[in-house]
Amino acid sequence: MNKKEFFTALRQALSALPDEERANVIKYYEDYFLDADGESDEEIIRSLGDPGRIAQDILREYRELQPHPSGQQAAGSAGVAGGPAPRRWKGVNPWVLLLLVVIGVPVCLLIGIPVAGGLLGMIAGLIGIVIGVLALLCCIPAVLVLGGLSLCGLSFLGWGAPASAVLTLGVGLVLLALGGLSVLLLVKLLLLFVPPVFRGIVNLIRWICQKIRGLFR
């Protein structure tokens, strides 16, 4: 039996009811089908049972309630006797959800802000260490090159004492050579270590952002 056949049989079985009462009962079960999310029509019909039996229960309840002045009360009670109450709300109650949000947001802020500040401070510290190491490594070649250039310049001014001038020039050239080698070594180290370190910092920042975003979901 499908949904159409169910309602056809139910209307026929409820033919003894007044039109308004019968319309109320049909509307009740139509809403019941709409509220039963995730269930097929066959499963809903199977849980409700035979429409003839449902109609018999409704008619019996209707006859029992006839002395009451309110026909609407009879129809409403008939619907209750005919099956379970419709499921109007699925999931968390909205008031409970609102309470959780009101309580959860300040808690997340109290926890998330210090954690985020600590993580950002750690990232800033790592970046500062990397920059400091790079600055130190850059200073060594710069000092060697500047020292070599200075000694070479002084050697040209001290040719009054040829031995001293030659010694000064030799030391200056040695410092220039060491400075050049240091520059090459520095470039090699930068190419070897800076990209992985940079990727690690970027991945750490991305991970922190994901965690912070997860706290506020």
Side-chain angles (χ1 to χ4, degrees), residues 9-106:
L10 184 61
R11 285 190 181 90
Q12 292 176 353
L14 293 174
S15 59
L17 280 178
D19 292 341
E20 184 178 355
E21 311 289 347
R22 184 169 61 251
N24 288 335
V25 174
I26 296 300
K27 181 65 168 56
Y28 168 84
Y29 283 99
E30 288 176 347
D31 291 341
Y32 184 84
F33 272 82
L34 293 176
D35 290 334
D37 294 335
E39 297 182 28
S40 64
D41 292 345
E42 290 76 11
E43 292 174 339
I44 300 171
I45 294 171
R46 194 179 304 117
S47 65
L48 291 175
D50 181 64
R53 182 188 60 79
I54 296 174
Q56 289 177 1
D57 294 338
I58 293 174
L59 290 172
R60 182 175 63 253
E61 185 72 15
Y62 178 74
R63 295 189 191 98
E64 292 175 358
L65 296 176
Q66 274 305 298
H68 292 280
S70 173
Q72 282 291 347
Q73 179 183 0
S77 301
V80 174
R87 293 161 286 183
R88 295 298 183 184
W89 174 259
K90 294 183 179 296
V92 183
N93 188 288
W95 293 107
V96 176
L97 184 61
L98 179 61
L99 179 62
L100 291 176
V101 171
V102 171
I103 296 175
V105 169

